[in-house]
Amino acid sequence: MNFLYPSFLWALGVLAIPVIIHLFNFRRTVKVYFSNNRFLKQVKEATTAKRRLKHYLILASRLLFLFFLVITFCQPIIPAKNQLTNNHTIVLYLDNSQSMSAQMEDKVRGLDAGVTFVRNIVSLFPPDTRYKLITNDFAPFSNSFKTKSEVLDLLTQVRLSPVSRTMQEVLDRVRHQGHAQQQQEVFWISDLQKSTLGIIPKALDSSAQWRLVPIRFASLANIFVDTVYLENPFAASGEKNVLRVKVRNDGKRDVDQLNLKLTINNIQSGAGTIDVPQGGVAETTFDLATGLSGLNEARISFNDFPVSFDNEFFFALNFTDKIKVVEIKKDNIPTPVEKVYGNKQVFTYQGFAVSNFNYNELAQADLVVVNGLNTVDPSLTNALLDYINKGGTLLLAPGTQPDVNNLKNLAQVPGLNSVPKAEPLELDRPDFSNPFFENVFEEKSTSLAMPKAARLLDLGGDRSAILKFKNDQAFLSLFNRGGKLYILATALESDFTDFHQHALFVPVMYRIAASARRSETKPYYTLRENLITLRLDSVNDDVPLKLVGKEEVIPGQRKVADRVFIDVPKFSVEQGFYDVVSQGDTVDLIAFNLNKEESLMEQYTGEEVKAMAGGGENISIFTATSSGAFSNEIKERYLGTPLWKYALLLALLFILAEILLIRFMK
């Protein structure tokens, strides 16, 4: 135990006063006349013994009263574990991710508690201490040290951020901005969320003192939308479709009859209920009516308390981007390919005779179909190989008399060989477990009538072919060459196959085209992603695109042909919808959602993080679960435990004892 004001101990000299009063009782002698001295002597003996005991007790009470009163003014303390030093630099990391909107046991928001913790810290240290405040936004103010008043002013600007940070990202930020000449103390104020904290380093910088301040929430369960997707993602505008929604339960109890609401363009378009098992995922569907076209803002919403930051899920239903198909054929006669891709609401089709083909068209195409050619000249072969290597998709349907040696240069399939024309064979039914056929067939019938074909090419015994003959030979194969290469084993001519006249032809060709779409705008993006790819035909290269939502943002971007690559400005955008605007015209719609990991509320304890970080002596943990408890704990750590209140209480107790002795002890 130490004293803040030990010089006041000289006042203990006042303890002599009660002793002096006790030894020299200056009361006047009072004569008492009594007829019989014998009786007087007996009374005197009895009362003197009692009076002596009473005086001693009163003297002890007075001495102890004065002693503890003096000790009170000396302000005794139990020494602090951590000492305050001058010219100290303090780094304050305040987690302001969306999960910090949850409530602690005292019903205070985690972020509000964290702000209060920071206020307590800066009010404790000496005036010349400098602070660096770091939040998940990595805002410019975190690049330099601030005074106490500047930090308090910055705290009024802290808001929940859509950005979550791993522990390593924050450590890199602290290390990058550190001052090697000064020993730093780092206060880490966070909910220590398992899903976003990432990989914890096995050891923290030993030159710094790490103070973990966990924000502990009450036992929480959370419901959130895991994903949404269209049953037919390439349906044309106006066509009927089905929206599938997966909902996840992060809690330890089942959720029954959760009400979900679908809103499209601020008009409720559907509602339903769903049961979600504890720790599991449930799926439900919404029918999308016909007539939906253009750019559409859609959201799934529900009520889930107390964690409500993820009660809405945003996604865009855009029906503007068409798949560009280029067919290279032997002449200008219409082909089955032209007919199947003639739906102008879904496809932009161009057909060229091989003798009149401009190679520049390849850069604009999602899918290139080489149809009916027996040979491909070397220059076109090189252009097509370059197209595939850059991620393009090519469908090769041979002519009626294919030159295999020539086609090998393009296909680059070592086992490719020619087969003499034979009688047409029936195709085997599709493998419904193949992802290629996902959502293609409503009924997976084993009695499906299949087309027939006369095989002209041996595709090398492809065991994973998309379609096969009944003798297990490949009819349609897929080869990955950077992009995708589809090869048919026969010509699309009536003398060789009826595949192009069969009901299976359209869904297969649509699926090939769907897989070729290289720059499809996704229904939604998370704020954890870094890049968005858009296909925009008529964009002025000199005028940048804007993202217009709650605020207007000009993101980093670059244009290559008809594609625009946009860097996600994750520090400037929030969850919700943003119009892509070019020269005042809205050309696309993007929906942003929080990172799904942010919705997983399970937390590490401070002890767990310390153990995983090496458990060094330079790591300490604050255990306070409320703002008031944290204030007391940090004062105890840096100022010590004050005992003057207890000394004052004892002083009052002994003066009360003196009063009681005088009043009641006869």
Side-chain angles (χ1 to χ4, degrees):
M1 183 180 71
N2 294 331
F3 297 101
L4 291 181
Y5 303 101
S7 60
F8 203 79
L9 288 173
W10 64 265
L12 289 176
V14 300
L15 296 178
I17 297 175
V19 176
I20 294 173
I21 294 175
H22 179 76
L23 294 177
F24 302 97
N25 191 342
F26 297 109
R27 292 180 301 168
R28 274 191 320 175
T29 302
V30 179
K31 293 182 178 181
V32 178
Y33 296 95
F34 201 79
S35 59
N36 193 327
N37 291 336
R38 181 171 60 86
F39 294 120
L40 182 61
K41 183 178 181 181
Q42 292 174 351
V43 172
K44 181 178 181 181
E45 287 177 350
T47 56
T48 298
K50 292 181 178 179
R51 186 179 297 116
R52 187 178 296 114
L53 176 61
K54 179 178 180 179
H55 287 176
Y56 284 148
L57 292 176
I58 292 173
L59 175 62
S61 299
R62 289 173 178 171
L63 289 173
L64 289 172
F65 161 70
L66 292 174
F67 173 79
F68 284 110
L69 186 62
V70 172
I71 294 299
T72 299
F73 285 99
C74 292
Q75 293 199 25
I77 62 168
I78 296 176
K81 298 178 182 178
N82 306 306
Q83 300 298 321
L84 295 174
T85 58
N86 292 328
N87 299 320
H88 220 68
T89 57
I90 306 294
V91 177
L92 304 165
Y93 167 62
L94 177 58
D95 181 2
N96 63 331
S97 62
Q98 289 290 331
S99 62
M100 290 284 283
S101 63
Q103 294 180 351
M104 302 174 67
E105 292 181 355
D106 57 359
K107 305 303 180 184
V108 175
R109 268 197 333 169
L111 181 61
D112 295 336
V115 169
T116 303
F117 290 175
V118 174
R119 293 183 187 275
N120 290 332
I121 293 169
V122 299
S123 65
L124 178 71
F125 286 88
D128 55 355
T129 304
R130 293 294 179 266
Y131 308 90
K132 181 182 293 180
L133 179 63
I134 300 176
T135 62
N136 286 8
D137 301 309
F138 286 177
F141 62 70
S142 65
N143 294 332
S144 60
F145 286 91
K146 309 292 182 182
T147 63
K148 172 183 175 180
S149 60
E150 290 173 330
V151 171
L152 293 177
D153 182 59
L154 290 174
L155 287 176
T156 63
Q157 305 173 27
V158 174
R159 300 290 185 271
L160 289 169
S161 170
V163 181
S164 57
R165 295 288 184 183
T166 65
M167 189 173 191
Q168 189 60 56
E169 286 179 309
V170 179
L171 289 175
D172 292 341
R173 183 74 172 187
V174 172
R175 187 181 301 113
H176 176 69
Q177 299 293 339
H179 285 200
Q181 300 86 351
Q182 298 175 323
Q183 184 183 27
Q184 294 187 87
E185 287 199 49
V186 181
F187 285 86
W188 195 290
I189 305 172
S190 170
D191 57 3
L192 303 181
Q193 196 175 0
K194 288 185 177 181
S195 57
T196 59
L197 205 58
I199 299 175
I200 299 176
K202 295 182 178 179
L204 297 179
D205 185 1
S206 59
S207 65
Q209 296 296 317
W210 301 89
R211 315 299 186 197
L212 300 181
V213 187
I215 302 293
R216 299 297 300 173
F217 300 129
S219 181
L220 296 176
N222 189 27
I223 306 294
F224 61 95
V225 174
D226 186 72
T227 187
V228 300
Y229 62 95
L230 292 175
E231 191 171 85
N232 181 6
F234 300 101
S237 60
E239 293 183 1
K240 185 178 180 180
N241 212 328
V242 175
L243 177 71
R244 295 190 174 273
V245 181
K246 289 186 177 181
V247 180
R248 184 168 178 176
N249 181 0
D250 187 42
K252 296 182 179 180
R253 61 178 178 83
D254 296 339
V255 174
D256 300 325
Q257 301 296 304
L258 177 69
N259 293 314
L260 296 180
K261 182 172 68 173
L262 170 64
T263 304
I264 300 178
N265 298 326
N266 296 319
I267 299 175
Q268 183 171 331
S269 301
T273 59
I274 188 173
D275 298 332
V276 191
Q278 57 177 336
V281 178
E283 182 175 325
T284 188
T285 60
F286 293 93
D287 291 330
L288 298 180
T290 59
L292 201 61
S293 61
L295 306 176
N296 302 275
E297 297 180 356
R299 71 185 75 196
I300 297 292
S301 58
F302 53 89
N303 291 323
D304 176 37
F305 185 81
V307 182
S308 60
F309 68 85
D310 52 4
N311 285 3
E312 284 190 312
F313 191 89
F314 305 90
F315 57 101
L317 297 175
N318 296 342
F319 299 97
T320 58
D321 197 12
K322 299 179 182 179
I323 302 175
K324 294 191 175 183
V325 179
V326 171
E327 182 184 16
I328 305 173
K329 49 190 177 179
K330 59 184 179 180
D331 50 40
N332 289 321
I333 298 174
T335 65
V337 173
E338 180 178 351
K339 294 178 181 179
V340 77
Y341 292 135
N343 187 342
K344 295 183 179 180
Q345 292 181 312
V346 180
F347 305 103
T348 299
Y349 169 84
Q350 290 180 294
F352 300 93
V354 65
S355 60
N356 191 33
F357 178 64
N358 184 352
Y359 294 174
N360 293 329
E361 297 291 340
L362 295 175
Q364 310 296 324
D366 290 308
L367 172 64
V368 175
V369 182
V370 176
N371 182 23
L373 302 185
N374 293 319
T375 61
V376 181
D377 66 69
S379 60
L380 179 57
T381 296
N382 293 334
L384 291 173
L385 288 174
D386 182 65
Y387 168 76
I388 296 174
N389 292 333
K390 291 181 178 179
T393 300
L394 175 67
L395 170 60
L396 175 60
T400 56
Q401 297 177 342
D403 183 345
V404 174
N405 293 326
N406 177 272
L407 294 181
K408 275 186 178 181
N409 296 328
L410 175 60
Q412 296 186 349
V413 177
L416 185 67
N417 287 301
S418 62
V419 178
K421 182 182 177 182
E423 291 297 320
L425 295 176
E426 186 176 349
L427 271 61
D428 197 3
R429 69 181 184 87
D431 179 6
F432 298 117
S433 63
N434 191 324
F436 183 88
F437 293 106
E438 185 177 1
N439 297 323
V440 171
F441 303 100
E442 292 185 1
E443 297 183 4
K444 300 177 181 180
S445 173
T446 58
S447 59
L448 179 67
M450 296 299 294
K452 296 181 179 180
R455 193 160 62 106
L456 295 177
L457 296 178
D458 182 352
L459 301 180
D462 180 13
R463 308 301 299 176
S464 59
I466 296 172
L467 289 173
K468 300 178 182 179
F469 292 96
K470 283 191 176 294
N471 62 3
D472 210 33
Q473 295 295 320
F475 173 74
L476 174 62
S477 292
L478 168 62
F479 302 94
N480 289 307
R481 301 283 189 269
K484 299 182 181 71
L485 172 62
Y486 293 90
I487 302 179
L488 276 171
T490 190
L492 292 177
E493 299 283 349
S494 298
D495 293 339
F496 291 85
T497 183
D498 61 351
F499 174 57
H500 56 284
Q501 300 169 343
H502 194 272
L504 186 62
F505 182 64
V506 172
V508 167
M509 297 298 282
Y510 267 50
R511 183 62 66 182
I512 291 174
S515 69
R517 190 178 237 166
R518 290 186 287 175
S519 58
E520 174 197 355
T521 302
K522 297 195 296 185
Y524 62 89
Y525 297 86
T526 68
L527 293 173
R528 193 75 177 173
E529 298 181 58
N530 297 317
L531 189 68
I532 296 174
T533 303
L534 304 178
R535 159 169 277 174
L536 302 172
D537 294 327
S538 55
V539 175
N540 190 333
D541 294 345
D542 299 328
V543 180
L545 298 176
K546 300 178 182 178
L547 298 182
V548 180
K550 294 181 179 179
E551 296 181 357
E552 184 177 297
V553 181
I554 301 179
Q557 55 196 272
R558 60 190 181 278
K559 189 173 185 298
V560 179
D562 63 341
R563 292 169 177 82
V564 180
F565 301 92
I566 297 178
D567 297 323
V568 178
K570 58 184 67 177
F571 309 122
S572 304
V573 299
E574 301 178 10
Q575 59 179 340
F577 298 104
Y578 284 82
D579 293 325
V580 181
V581 178
S582 173
Q583 295 181 294
D585 296 328
T586 300
V587 294
D588 212 333
L589 176 67
I590 298 175
F592 288 107
N593 288 291
L594 297 174
N595 187 18
K596 283 190 296 186
E597 282 72 16
E598 191 69 28
S599 297
L600 302 174
M601 300 301 294
E602 190 175 2
Q603 299 175 271
Y604 286 118
T605 63
E607 290 74 14
E608 288 174 330
V609 173
K610 180 177 179 179
M612 288 185 286
E617 295 182 357
N618 62 325
I619 305 174
S620 60
I621 304 167
F622 285 82
T623 59
T625 57
S626 65
S627 300
F630 178 80
S631 178
N632 294 332
E633 185 175 359
I634 194 170
K635 288 178 181 178
E636 289 178 5
R637 291 202 180 196
Y638 287 92
L639 299 179
T641 304
L643 301 177
W644 65 269
K645 294 181 181 179
Y646 302 102
L648 179 61
L649 183 62
L650 288 172
L652 295 176
L653 180 63
F654 284 114
I655 196 171
L656 176 62
E658 178 186 352
I659 294 172
L660 294 176
L661 288 171
I662 295 174
R663 175 68 179 81
F664 295 104
M665 189 171 182
K666 303 296 182 181

